Amino acid sequence: MHQQYRSSGGTSIRSTRGKADIRPGDRRESRSASEDGGDNPFLTRLRLLTDIGDTDLAALERLCANPRQFGGRAELVADGEPQERLHILLDGWACRSRLLADGRRQITTLLLPGDICDLDGLYVRNSDCSVATLTPCSVAAVSRPAIQDLAVRSRDVADALGWLGAVENAMLAERNACLGQRSAEEHLAHFLCELLMRLTVVGRASDFSYTLPLTQEAMADVLGLTSVHINRVLHRLRASELIEQRGNQLEIRDWDSLRRVAGFRPDYLHLEGLNGAGDVFAAAPWIFAAPSQPMAPGFSHA
Amino acid sequence: MHQQYRSSGGTSIRSTRGKADIRPGDRRESRSASEDGGDNPFLTRLRLLTDIGDTDLAALERLCANPRQFGGRAELVADGEPQERLHILLDGWACRSRLLADGRRQITTLLLPGDICDLDGLYVRNSDCSVATLTPCSVAAVSRPAIQDLAVRSRDVADALGWLGAVENAMLAERNACLGQRSAEEHLAHFLCELLMRLTVVGRASDFSYTLPLTQEAMADVLGLTSVHINRVLHRLRASELIEQRGNQLEIRDWDSLRRVAGFRPDYLHLEGLNGAGDVFAAAPWIFAAPSQPMAPGFSHA
DNA sequence: CGGCCAATTGAAGGTGGTCAACCTGAGTGG
DNA sequence: CCACTCAGGTTGACCACCTTCAATTGGCCG
């Protein structure tokens, strides 16, 4: 039997272990998501979703010291160039993209604060795609051996890195499903749902609203559409009052409808964390509350 | 400057370390790709592309003992069900797929002999997609802790697993680019190119020809198209004499043109192996020979 | 022979692309 | 203060790629 949503029944509240609380209604400045270590979204994510201990976190935090600042359209990693450093995105939005010979571009991964830009660099010399910023960014460049050392020394770090890779994988697979099967409207709705989830985890969304600093052209490159069509579909979503935009601010007016349109199921983001270590459930139960109208009644596969 | 193809200039031949030779012109039975250990495509791949040593290989081989046989449409892993075992595909074709609520299906990963079906299972309890066979398959089901133990004990094994994950990631990203940017014809051509590469590595292709046991419907689910359209595009590729099909056998008649149509660059498959450990270059230089006509003249990005 | 699945082919229709024009707001320089 | 520029958003008309629906063929196996 297929489990549509994580069975939120019963006592789904786990021990809280002093993790960051990230209720969406929480209206604080977006730069203070975690209670200690200033605002390092990378650490926030690990603390929230993995078993990683304080010593390891401290070691990772040290690696993030002295981040470099980049402008809005900087190239962090060139396609095919060997890299001796990994890049951890601490603030701003970036992307991994592939360029086709004739100039067509596909953004394969949208990188948000807390994401590692080039995890594959741990195993692969020449990355097969380029990393570029989409907004001004703060990026920690940590040496490959340094991270590998940590991973060798601590099973927790190794597992955390593996988990990050697995989640990235799952997100790519889900986007495949979007690109291959969903209509433009479904896909865009799905995209906005995913952003809400991911930004919430790192404390960059509140009240179903977040800053969306992307041009319609960038969104087009993510969704495999044209900017013209993005424009039209956004218009439709606004017209049906699912979302509202004021400048860069995007507000989701009707979460239930939006995710029903999208066919959005957050399972693939693995918000339950590594080995179920995550506390996002307790912190943000609204994420998993079943939509008022069942999204896929009697759905099963055999 | 962008590097179109791996610079095959000069002495690209590495020490051969007794690895399997996989020249494409080699016309032997498809079940005897590696010289020892019978035909275990999983080991073949690791031996060919990673630094992994004989003791580790032997340990992995032990895990593959007593594979189970499955029929042509068996479900190996159900979406959302927790799994305590990983599945290594030893023979036959399978896939990971996502089902949308209304029945639309996207095959996110095509699994060939030698692939691990559910690598994410190392880090994630409930897989977010299902694994099913597409042909009769031989599958080794190895316990999660057993593999994890090996990885903890041996850095080489850990690296090999990480590398496999990174390659999977890159393949997903490339498919994203196909789904989002390429036309049906480009995408299908690309798909056939990729299959040739991957099958060659595990000794299941020869003379630019391999067995393609997929229905057009399955291909449609991979490429995000309809089976009707797959049929038409295949027809076109045959008409322009790029490929030829005789039953399940697919032969690539014009490799140069096919990959030019596809815009296929094998970089993302990382045939150079973990840390450049691979010998595929020496064994199958044709893979990387530049097409007679440059595919993307003067292509660069800045 | 009959049944079934997959491949094949045709006709019609829709989603999303292409091309082009225009608008808006921010920044810049006179 | 206004003219100018430029990037990004918006809108319209037209068209093509791919889908949908449907019918037919071919191969395999009971």
Side-chain angles (χ1 to χ4, degrees):
Chain A
M1 197 55 199
H2 180 80
Q3 180 176 337
Q4 194 67 3
Y5 274 84
R6 173 165 260 275
S7 60
S8 58
T11 59
S12 74
I13 299 177
R14 275 161 260 249
S15 67
T16 322
R17 287 198 285 117
K19 293 196 173 184
D21 183 296
I22 52 158
R23 273 173 285 111
D26 203 346
R27 262 264 180 244
R28 49 188 154 183
E29 258 306 287
S30 65
R31 323 205 82 257
S32 63
S34 72
E35 69 277 18
D36 58 338
D39 172 32
N40 184 322
F42 179 57
L43 300 181
T44 301
R45 202 146 77 102
L46 292 183
R47 192 181 297 114
L48 204 58
L49 292 168
T50 74
D51 272 328
I52 211 163
D54 285 338
T55 16
D56 288 330
L57 281 175
L60 287 170
E61 183 166 20
R62 244 170 284 130
L63 292 184
C64 292
N66 305 110
R68 287 167 56 195
Q69 310 301 320
F70 290 90
R73 262 161 200 201
E75 185 164 41
L76 298 185
V77 178
D79 184 359
E81 307 259 310
Q83 290 291 318
E84 76 288 358
R85 290 172 172 279
L86 297 197
H87 299 83
I88 301 178
L89 187 57
L90 297 180
D91 201 32
W93 292 36
C95 70
R96 309 188 55 161
S97 64
R98 258 151 219 265
L99 222 54
L100 267 57
D102 59 1
R104 283 175 286 178
R105 170 173 89 146
Q106 176 71 34
I107 294 180
T108 58
T109 312
L110 205 55
L111 300 163
L112 305 183
D115 286 335
I116 298 185
C117 299
D118 39 12
L119 239 191
D120 60 336
L122 281 175
Y123 303 103
V124 154
R125 266 275 166 248
N126 306 309
S127 178
D128 45 84
C129 55
S130 64
V131 179
T133 64
L134 296 169
T135 73
C137 283
S138 169
V139 179
V142 316
S143 87
R144 199 168 110 129
I147 284 221
Q148 283 171 328
D149 264 19
L150 275 186
V152 168
R153 253 187 265 286
S154 159
R155 171 81 187 272
D156 281 351
V157 171
D159 283 349
L161 290 174
W163 183 77
L164 288 175
V167 171
E168 222 175 77
N169 227 286
M171 291 198 298
L172 282 169
E174 183 71 22
R175 187 149 308 286
N176 269 9
C178 288
L179 287 162
Q181 304 298 334
R182 284 186 238 255
S183 71
E185 189 159 354
E186 292 171 313
H187 194 171
L188 184 48
H190 184 101
F191 176 69
L192 297 176
C193 289
E194 177 180 314
L195 282 180
L196 178 68
M197 297 273 156
R198 291 174 63 191
L199 290 170
T200 296
V201 169
V202 289
R204 255 120 172 130
S206 53
D207 274 336
F208 294 103
S209 146
Y210 51 85
T211 308
L212 180 66
L214 301 180
T215 66
Q216 294 181 350
E217 176 128 20
M219 289 192 246
D221 286 345
V222 176
L223 304 192
L225 300 168
T226 58
S227 58
V228 174
H229 202 60
I230 291 285
N231 186 301
R232 292 197 229 269
V233 177
L234 268 177
H235 193 79
R236 241 183 286 155
L237 290 181
R238 280 185 303 236
S240 37
E241 302 199 314
L242 298 183
I243 63 170
E244 194 173 317
Q245 286 180 291
R246 254 189 305 273
N248 272 346
Q249 276 299 308
L250 185 126
E251 185 183 348
I252 295 176
R253 304 296 308 270
D254 189 343
W255 170 240
D256 255 28
S257 301
L258 189 67
R259 60 176 166 166
R260 208 169 318 113
V261 166
F264 181 79
R265 300 192 302 126
D267 312 28
Y268 73 97
L269 291 171
H270 292 289
L271 265 16
E272 80 278 6
L274 173 59
N275 291 324
D279 274 344
V280 183
F281 298 123
W286 58 275
I287 286 184
F288 300 95
S292 51
Q293 200 138 344
M295 207 153 35
F299 160 51
S300 75
H301 55 249
Chain B
M1 196 57 195
H2 180 82
Q3 181 177 338
Q4 194 66 3
Y5 273 86
R6 173 163 259 274
S7 61
S8 58
T11 58
S12 73
I13 299 178
R14 274 161 259 249
S15 69
T16 322
R17 288 200 281 116
K19 294 193 173 187
D21 183 295
I22 52 157
R23 273 173 286 110
D26 203 346
R27 263 262 179 242
R28 49 186 154 184
E29 260 305 288
S30 65
R31 322 204 83 256
S32 62
S34 70
E35 69 276 17
D36 58 338
D39 170 32
N40 184 324
F42 179 58
L43 300 182
T44 300
R45 202 145 78 102
L46 291 184
R47 192 181 297 114
L48 204 57
L49 293 169
T50 74
D51 273 327
I52 211 163
D54 284 339
T55 17
D56 287 331
L57 281 174
L60 287 169
E61 182 166 20
R62 245 169 283 128
L63 291 184
C64 293
N66 305 111
R68 287 167 57 196
Q69 310 301 319
F70 289 89
R73 262 160 202 203
E75 185 163 41
L76 298 185
V77 178
D79 183 359
E81 307 257 312
Q83 290 290 318
E84 76 287 357
R85 289 171 172 280
L86 297 197
H87 300 83
I88 302 177
L89 187 56
L90 298 179
D91 200 34
W93 292 35
C95 69
R96 310 189 54 159
S97 64
R98 258 153 222 265
L99 223 54
L100 267 56
D102 59 0
R104 283 175 287 178
R105 171 174 87 146
Q106 176 70 35
I107 293 180
T108 58
T109 312
L110 205 55
L111 300 163
L112 305 183
D115 287 335
I116 297 185
C117 300
D118 38 14
L119 239 192
D120 61 335
L122 282 175
Y123 303 103
V124 152
R125 265 274 164 249
N126 306 308
S127 178
D128 45 85
C129 56
S130 64
V131 179
T133 64
L134 295 168
T135 73
C137 284
S138 169
V139 179
V142 316
S143 87
R144 198 167 112 128
I147 284 221
Q148 281 171 328
D149 263 19
L150 275 186
V152 167
R153 253 187 266 284
S154 159
R155 171 84 186 270
D156 281 351
V157 171
D159 282 350
L161 291 174
W163 183 77
L164 289 175
V167 172
E168 223 173 77
N169 224 285
M171 291 199 297
L172 282 169
E174 183 71 21
R175 187 149 306 288
N176 269 7
C178 289
L179 287 162
Q181 304 298 334
R182 282 186 239 255
S183 71
E185 190 158 353
E186 293 170 312
H187 193 171
L188 184 47
H190 184 101
F191 176 68
L192 297 175
C193 289
E194 177 179 315
L195 282 179
L196 178 68
M197 297 272 156
R198 292 174 62 190
L199 290 169
T200 295
V201 169
V202 289
R204 254 114 173 137
S206 52
D207 273 336
F208 293 103
S209 144
Y210 50 85
T211 308
L212 179 66
L214 301 179
T215 65
Q216 295 181 348
E217 175 127 21
M219 288 191 247
D221 286 343
V222 176
L223 304 193
L225 299 167
T226 58
S227 59
V228 173
H229 202 60
I230 291 285
N231 186 300
R232 292 195 230 269
V233 176
L234 269 177
H235 194 77
R236 241 182 287 156
L237 291 181
R238 279 184 304 233
S240 35
E241 301 198 317
L242 298 183
I243 62 170
E244 193 173 318
Q245 286 179 291
R246 252 189 307 275
N248 273 347
Q249 276 300 307
L250 184 127
E251 185 182 349
I252 295 176
R253 302 298 308 268
D254 188 343
W255 170 239
D256 255 28
S257 301
L258 189 67
R259 60 175 166 167
R260 207 167 322 109
V261 166
F264 181 78
R265 300 192 301 127
D267 313 28
Y268 72 98
L269 291 172
H270 292 288
L271 265 19
E272 80 279 5
L274 173 60
N275 292 323
D279 274 343
V280 182
F281 298 123
W286 58 275
I287 286 185
F288 299 95
S292 50
Q293 198 138 344
M295 207 151 36
F299 160 49
S300 76
H301 56 247

